[in-house]
Structures are given as structure tokens and as C-alpha cells.
Amino acid sequence: MCFSYTELCGALGKSSLYIHNIQKNLALPILKRGDKYSKGYKSFLEHVINLKTLGVSNEDIIRLLELEKKILHLLQLDSLDSSPTWYVDHGEKRYARQRGKSLVLLLTDYDLETSPRSSSFQGSLDFSGAQSSELFKGSEMGEDINRAIDKYREVEKKILEIVEREASVAKRASDWARSILRRKR
């Protein structure tokens, strides 16, 4: 299922200005009039809206997205799809279902253990910095996927701590909203 911009905003329950501001703040591709947004793009925006609702800062969301894109780029998943929204188009809300089983990226929902390129990096190589010197500079050897994932986990942990702290507050607010809406009807 694909969405026009108006349909996307309606499905998310947010104004076009609100969605546009998210797109602008996160430097997301904004499609041309007539082009359709994917189900994965919608799912991605739902995750962002949920995080913002739970008090996660734009800076933390931006940092997490940058790390997710870096990881996906290091796995060369950007080469599988030429769409400008390649990193969000395939999200399938796996995060909540598979949280304990594998590394599923929070915003984009990529499952790194089942990705088509997950076996293409060499996790057995020592990139821990234990050796005193290297023959080549890091930029010449390429980035290390394991370091990128470690950085990702640090930011994800910080965000999950905020979500955990705010979840009970959000539940109470939701319950309160339902109760007053019932009384007013």
C-alpha cells in the first residue's frame, strides 16, 4: 500500500505542517507531488511521532537515524534500492516483535541478522583497537560495522530509558483522555 502526502498525513493523524517539520528536521526525502510514500515510510514516521510524544529529543532521534543509515550503508543495503527513501521503505514494525531475538533497528525496522547483506561483513576481524598501530588509516580501510553498532546501541539505550520513564505517564494521560471523552459524550 502506498500513500499520497495527504493520505500519509491522514493515516498518521497529524497535520501536513507537523509531518513536513519532521521531514525537514530529519532531512528526509520529500517526494514530488503525485509520487507515493511507502508503507515503510509511514511506519518510520509513526516511530518518530511516538518517540517525540514520549519526550525523546529531536537531537537524539536525528543521531539514531544517522547511525541507522550508517549501519545500513556499511551493509551496502543502499545498493539494493535506488529510491531516495531506501532506508525507510522496507520497515515492517519488527522492532517490538523481535526486540529480544536480534538487532532490529528502532526507527527503520531493519533486522540486521536477516538482512540480505548481513553476512557480508567480517565480524571476526579485530577492529577493537587492541593493536597499537595499523597499516592503513581508518578511512582507507573503511568503517567498522561493529563500532557503528556499538554507538547505535549507546544511543538506543538512552532513548529506551526515556521511553521507559515516560511510558507510564503516557498511559495515565491516555486513560485520563478516554475517561473525559466518555463523560463529554
Side-chain angles (χ1 to χ4, degrees):
M1 176 177 214
C2 294
F3 303 88
S4 69
Y5 186 71
T6 303
E7 292 167 338
L8 178 70
C9 295
L12 294 168
K14 295 292 183 182
S15 71
S16 61
L17 180 60
Y18 185 91
I19 299 302
H20 180 75
N21 283 336
I22 289 175
Q23 290 172 314
K24 187 176 175 184
N25 288 334
L26 298 180
L28 297 174
I30 299 172
L31 302 181
K32 292 181 258 178
R33 186 176 296 251
D35 288 345
K36 300 280 188 168
Y37 290 92
S38 69
K39 184 178 174 184
Y41 195 98
K42 177 187 165 282
S43 178
F44 169 83
L45 287 175
E46 285 174 338
H47 297 325
V48 171
I49 291 167
N50 291 339
L51 290 174
K52 289 172 71 62
T53 300
L54 291 168
V56 177
S57 71
N58 277 331
E59 293 78 21
D60 287 338
I61 295 170
I62 290 167
R63 181 70 180 135
L64 191 70
L65 179 58
E66 288 171 357
L67 288 167
E68 289 192 23
K69 284 172 35 178
K70 181 182 217 171
I71 290 167
L72 297 173
H73 179 70
L74 289 170
L75 291 173
Q76 300 176 357
L77 292 174
D78 56 334
S79 66
L80 299 176
D81 189 343
S82 63
S83 167
T85 58
W86 65 270
Y87 53 95
V88 296
D89 285 340
H90 303 288
E92 297 179 14
K93 295 187 179 185
R94 295 179 205 157
Y95 187 83
R97 291 194 314 267
Q98 297 181 3
R99 174 78 183 114
K101 296 180 183 174
S102 62
L103 180 59
V104 178
L105 300 178
L106 181 61
L107 295 174
T108 58
D109 276 327
Y110 273 92
D111 183 345
L112 298 184
E113 289 184 7
T114 62
S115 77
R117 301 277 179 130
S118 65
S119 60
S120 66
F121 68 92
Q122 293 178 287
S124 62
L125 294 177
D126 179 15
F127 291 107
S128 65
Q131 300 214 8
S132 59
S133 64
E134 296 285 351
L135 291 174
F136 302 100
K137 295 177 184 171
S139 60
E140 293 169 341
M141 291 188 301
E143 301 260 6
D144 175 20
I145 186 73
N146 295 317
R147 283 191 194 145
I149 290 172
D150 288 345
K151 287 179 187 175
Y152 169 83
R153 286 187 188 273
E154 288 174 22
V155 176
E156 180 192 43
K157 180 181 177 192
K158 177 184 176 188
I159 288 173
L160 291 177
E161 287 170 356
I162 294 168
V163 168
E164 184 176 16
R165 195 173 51 240
E166 294 297 321
S168 62
V169 175
K171 182 176 181 341
R172 286 193 307 269
S174 179
D175 292 345
W176 175 79
R178 277 194 280 279
S179 73
I180 64 168
L181 289 173
R182 272 184 290 213
R183 282 188 264 150
K184 296 293 181 183
R185 288 184 183 165

